[in-house]
Amino acid sequence: LVRGGFVGVDVFFVISGYLISSIVLHGLDGARFSFASFYARRARRLFPSLAVVAASVLAAGWFVLLPQNFAALGREAAAGAGFVANLLFWREAGYFDAASDTKPLLHLWSLGIEEQFYLLWPLLLYSLRRVPVARGFVVGALALASFGADLALTPHAPAAAFYSPATRFWELLVGCVLALPATASFGARHPAAAAPRRRDRRHAAVISLIGFALVVASALLISADQPFPGWRACAPVLGAALIVAAGPDAPVNRTLLSSRPLVGIGRISFQLYLWHWPLLVGARVLGGGDPSAASRSIAVAIAVVLAVATYRWIDLPIRDARSRARTKTLAACVALLVVGGAGHLVDRADGVPSRFPPAVRAVAAFRYDYAPEYREGTCFLRPEQGPSAYRGCTDASAPAGAPDVYLWGDSHAAHLYPGLRAGAEGRFRLTQMTASSCPPLLDYEDHGRPHCKALNDYAFAQIVAARPQLLILAARWDLYPWRGLAATLERLRAVGVRDIVVVGPVPRWRDGLPTALYRHFADDPLHRLPSRMIDAANDVAIRLDEQLRALVEAEHVRYASAIHALCDADGCLVRSGDAADSLTAWDDSHLTVAGSRALVTRASLLGLGVGP
């Protein structure tokens, strides 16, 4: 119901920056700050619970994850233990990256950014301890620089903007700004104690209500399909800042946020943060698809129970520094180091495939390098590439006078290229113009996918100039306003393109075909490798196939049903031979070379028609 619940991270960054900066500044101004004590407290606060959760997730992954997924989990655990998870996910981000809801430790990206900030921030404040007046200028300049980088990167490099510390530090720095006046300028003992004396109650009430409204509106109105953070992050960040600035006597703070239930949640918030996401991912992995509302509710309830237990029996005893503080700090560091090392070993061991019988290992070991087959970067363009990046996309080996065949669309067009290339055999001159997340729909614009309109305008101009004997359009249609295809087909026919084929949706596999095959092995007592399988994920593709066929044929254009070509009453084709590399798909829907050839042949995509 709350589409933008992820803005809670941005709210947290503000609170964290305010709280930790208040502690550091209070210690510096009183000449009582110790780096060793500061980082020891951070270790006792974070390391034990993090080690317990990461170790538990690794142990569960041993039993339920395929080697490839288990190796990825090992990388996540190692990166999380080293507080660089955000850098790992930034590096891995891309069009074909695994879905976020299949990564059990994805949420540790925010913890990485926070700890990267606190590795540097106390050092900077310490260097300014003799010139407290300069603190505000330095903090303000850094916050503006970080915010500027965020605004610049979000439209063009969303993964970098989301995961980079440089584009997220401004959110923590906003909290730091709130801590500065009460410590440096006003000389108060504690910011929270000074706030009511600087503002009358009416003023505090107004800004707290505005702040609360901004946070709630952000959670309700912002969604994951919008570019984020960028300017949209201003609302939750400003809302959190206003709530904090209002002080403890503001109505929202005094009544709602100080209520016992919310204070209780606050006490276990770190442990709840650690547990909730792995359990939600686990519900999806074990259920083989999107978990129901009931399953998600049960997962959250279990997370609360585990959070309370972890807080009570792990966090509190170790965080208590009244006895054996050094021993507890060392134990916390060693525990996290062991878990991180275990994750690294799992990654280096390729997910320990020896856990499975040989038949499963053959499927689990399957790897597919789509980039050379799809011609990524030259004829299958990445999101940051514009039309000028197309290079060598027309087959130069075809003889003079060979019919021109043009392929236009997104990745679901690019995965047809290997099959078309094999089927052409020099008889056709094949041109590929494909780009990730960019459907062959004229006038289609997506602000989260730059260059798409320019790419389609370029492709249309090339098609008009070439007048190919055959034009093939393909896309992951369910992601786009596919009913707009009718207008594109009309314009193509109007400029003289006579033979057009629209390729319908391909079979879908929950969590990817290799994982679906693993589930089949687990459920089949004979551990047989099927040639066809039925997957509930195909229900959507089948319905769309029927609707799309009706639209395309109404425009007097040929329609190629991938569902009819690859599926029958026994299910959809999963392999074309006995070897692992004969699998027809390598993820949830993208075809391998074997799958591409099977579809091109079975659907007769290179059979030139007579046109309307």
Side-chain angles (χ1 to χ4, degrees):
L1 296 178
V2 183
R3 299 186 306 163
F6 55 85
V7 302
V9 171
D10 308 272
V11 172
F12 165 73
F13 280 160
V14 175
I15 297 172
S16 177
Y18 169 73
L19 174 64
I20 303 302
S21 294
S22 300
I23 294 171
V24 174
L25 289 167
H26 187 60
L28 288 173
D29 292 346
R32 295 185 303 274
F33 180 76
S34 164
F35 284 102
S37 297
F38 174 80
Y39 290 117
R41 284 196 303 271
R42 296 296 293 171
R44 292 195 299 272
R45 174 74 175 91
L46 304 178
F47 292 9
S49 297
L50 176 58
V52 167
V53 173
S56 301
V57 173
L58 279 173
W62 175 276
F63 296 102
V64 301
L65 294 181
L66 282 174
Q68 184 176 0
N69 304 109
F70 193 42
L73 176 60
R75 285 194 299 275
E76 294 175 24
F83 298 101
V84 291
N86 59 313
L87 303 182
L88 171 69
F89 295 124
W90 178 8
R91 187 188 71 187
E92 292 182 345
Y95 183 69
F96 291 108
D97 184 27
S100 61
D101 53 8
T102 65
K103 296 182 175 184
L105 297 179
L106 176 73
H107 60 319
L108 298 185
W109 72 266
S110 58
L111 186 61
I113 285 179
E114 187 195 21
E115 293 316 298
Q116 289 157 25
F117 181 79
Y118 292 128
L119 188 64
L120 304 172
W121 185 238
L123 298 173
L124 179 61
L125 289 180
Y126 183 81
S127 68
L128 298 173
R129 68 191 185 282
R130 301 189 186 280
V131 281
V133 176
R135 290 171 180 165
F137 295 104
V138 172
V139 174
L142 291 174
L144 287 175
S146 175
F147 182 57
D150 185 7
L151 292 179
L153 282 177
T154 296
H156 307 293
F162 193 89
Y163 290 119
S164 171
T167 55
R168 288 288 194 162
F169 277 1
W170 70 273
E171 300 180 20
L172 290 131
L173 288 166
V174 167
C176 300
V177 169
L178 292 171
L180 287 175
T183 52
S185 303
F186 293 90
R189 290 184 178 181
H190 194 277
R197 295 199 295 267
R198 299 199 304 272
R199 301 174 178 87
D200 58 64
R201 291 179 180 271
R202 181 178 300 176
H203 186 199
V206 170
I207 66 171
S208 70
L209 289 171
I210 293 174
F212 185 71
L214 284 172
V215 171
V216 171
S218 301
L220 294 176
L221 300 178
I222 295 175
S223 63
D225 57 0
Q226 297 170 330
F228 195 86
W231 62 267
R232 288 180 176 83
C234 292
V237 169
L238 178 60
L242 291 175
I243 292 173
V244 173
D249 286 346
V252 170
N253 303 356
R254 186 180 66 253
T255 57
L256 178 63
L257 300 182
S258 296
S259 63
R260 293 190 67 177
L262 289 190
V263 170
I265 292 174
R267 291 189 189 280
I268 64 167
S269 60
F270 178 59
Q271 287 72 29
L272 188 55
Y273 153 80
L274 290 175
W275 279 114
H276 86 285
W277 188 251
L279 288 166
L280 289 172
V281 171
R284 188 184 195 284
V285 170
L286 295 176
D290 293 332
S292 65
S295 297
R296 292 196 297 271
S297 299
I298 292 171
V300 171
I302 294 173
V304 172
V305 172
L306 291 175
V308 171
T310 308
Y311 174 75
R312 173 66 181 83
W313 287 300
I314 301 295
D315 181 66
L316 286 181
I318 295 189
R319 205 195 323 175
D320 184 5
R322 288 173 295 182
S323 64
R324 298 182 297 170
R326 289 186 179 179
T327 301
K328 292 176 179 179
T329 302
L330 179 62
C333 293
V334 170
L336 192 61
L337 183 63
V338 169
V339 173
H344 178 68
L345 291 176
V346 167
D347 182 27
R348 290 292 300 271
D350 294 325
V352 198
S354 58
R355 295 175 292 137
F356 297 100
V360 179
R361 274 184 242 164
V363 174
F366 176 67
R367 300 291 185 273
Y368 185 78
D369 186 4
Y370 73 89
E373 300 296 345
Y374 293 11
R375 300 202 286 180
E376 185 183 47
T378 55
C379 305
F380 171 52
L381 302 188
R382 296 182 290 269
E384 71 274 12
Q385 294 179 295
S388 61
Y390 281 127
R391 295 190 306 276
C393 296
T394 298
D395 181 12
S397 64
D404 278 308
V405 176
Y406 271 55
L407 175 64
W408 180 23
D410 65 2
S411 61
H412 280 221
H415 72 188
L416 298 175
Y417 176 77
L420 292 171
R421 180 187 60 206
E425 296 178 340
R427 298 178 295 123
F428 304 102
R429 187 164 50 244
L430 182 60
T431 298
Q432 176 189 2
M433 291 181 295
T434 57
S436 66
S437 301
C438 187
L441 299 174
L442 295 173
D443 300 325
Y444 172 81
E445 289 190 83
D446 181 357
H447 297 296
R449 197 333 179 167
H451 309 301
C452 187
K453 187 176 186 306
L455 289 165
N456 283 335
D457 289 343
Y458 175 84
F460 184 72
Q462 297 299 307
I463 292 167
V464 170
R467 296 293 205 291
Q469 279 80 0
L470 175 63
L471 172 62
I472 300 173
L473 306 183
R476 170 77 186 274
W477 298 111
D478 59 300
L479 297 181
Y480 314 111
W482 55 269
R483 296 188 185 278
L485 178 61
T488 297
L489 295 176
E490 289 177 6
R491 290 179 61 181
L492 288 167
R493 292 178 59 208
V495 297
V497 182
R498 295 183 56 79
D499 198 5
I500 305 171
V501 177
V502 174
V503 182
V506 296
R508 300 289 304 279
W509 307 100
R510 291 175 296 174
D511 298 329
L513 179 56
T515 301
L517 277 172
Y518 164 67
R519 288 203 184 96
H520 180 89
F521 275 119
D523 295 337
D524 185 350
L526 299 179
H527 297 299
R528 292 169 295 188
L529 181 65
S531 297
R532 293 179 178 271
M533 287 198 311
I534 296 175
D535 195 305
N538 281 319
D539 293 345
V540 174
I542 292 170
R543 287 194 298 270
L544 177 59
D545 184 63
E546 296 170 352
Q547 296 170 334
L548 196 61
R549 177 191 288 277
L551 180 146
V552 170
E553 292 182 347
E555 296 297 324
H556 306 288
V557 169
R558 284 202 289 153
Y559 182 74
S561 171
I563 293 294
H564 286 179
L566 298 176
C567 306
D568 60 21
D570 295 325
C572 297
L573 190 70
V574 298
R575 61 187 177 95
S576 60
D578 295 328
D581 61 2
S582 70
L583 296 186
T584 55
W586 55 275
D587 64 355
D588 69 327
S589 58
H590 292 95
L591 300 178
T592 61
V593 170
S596 182
R597 290 181 175 181
L599 176 55
V600 168
T601 301
R602 292 164 178 259
S604 300
L605 287 186
L606 286 172
L608 294 175
V610 296

